Amino acid sequence: GEPGGEGGTTTATEKAEKTDLHTEPEAAKVKTNAATGVPACVLFPIAQNEPITNPGFGYNALALQGWLLLCCQLKHGGLQDKPGKGRDHYHTCYCLSGLSAAQHFGGDGILGPATNLLEKLNPVVNVVETQLVRWMRGMEKTTG
């Protein structure tokens, strides 16, 4: 690690908190292991399935969050498939889904400040968990 932080090294979280998420040179420096160069839309299925079947193994949840926040997030909103691509609704949806899955099912917590935390999604239907529960309760009332 780099000097600073607790124990003389800077943690990934400390680096993310200090990093301007919209600077191209900083985003280019991010090393995300297997996630580097992988289209963002394929990361949600990985993030949603691996932790459920194999908790804590299979992918680096913090690296996935770093990839999505530093390399896929665009300055004026939206998320892109990978650096150099434009934003669109499809990739924004699946980037956010993958980010939520990594935060809630990855076992490593959230990268950066608490304001990065997204709501928990139900990984089966890719809907915010609280809204799914609300809908299911409404369905029970109409059918029961």
Side-chain angles (χ1 to χ4, degrees):
E2 295 175 15
E6 195 172 315
T9 60
T10 303
T11 66
T13 301
E14 289 168 335
K15 286 180 189 175
E17 288 172 345
K18 294 176 185 175
T19 301
D20 176 358
L21 297 180
H22 303 297
T23 8
E24 288 299 321
E26 285 301 318
K29 294 178 190 174
V30 175
K31 293 181 181 173
T32 57
N33 302 328
T36 303
V38 174
C41 56
V42 301
L43 297 174
F44 172 60
I46 294 168
Q48 74 168 353
N49 291 321
E50 281 296 325
I52 293 169
T53 59
N54 201 1
F57 299 98
Y59 76 100
N60 183 326
L62 291 177
L64 173 57
Q65 291 177 61
W67 173 255
L68 293 169
L69 291 170
L70 296 170
C71 298
C72 295
Q73 183 175 220
L74 296 171
K75 184 176 183 175
H76 297 291
L79 291 114
Q80 60 190 341
D81 184 29
K82 53 188 166 186
K85 301 286 185 173
R87 66 179 178 221
D88 58 49
H89 296 293
Y90 175 84
H91 289 101
T92 296
C93 172
Y94 281 100
C95 285
L96 291 171
S97 300
L99 182 58
S100 176
Q103 291 174 341
H104 293 281
F105 300 109
D108 295 325
I110 63 166
L111 180 66
T115 55
N116 283 352
L117 182 63
L118 298 179
E119 290 190 54
K120 182 179 179 182
L121 293 179
N122 179 293
V124 176
V125 294
N126 194 25
V127 173
V128 173
E129 187 75 31
T130 55
Q131 296 302 314
L132 178 63
V133 169
R134 185 172 152 225
W135 176 80
M136 290 172 66
R137 286 184 182 146
M139 291 302 294
E140 287 174 356
K141 289 178 184 176
T142 60
T143 60

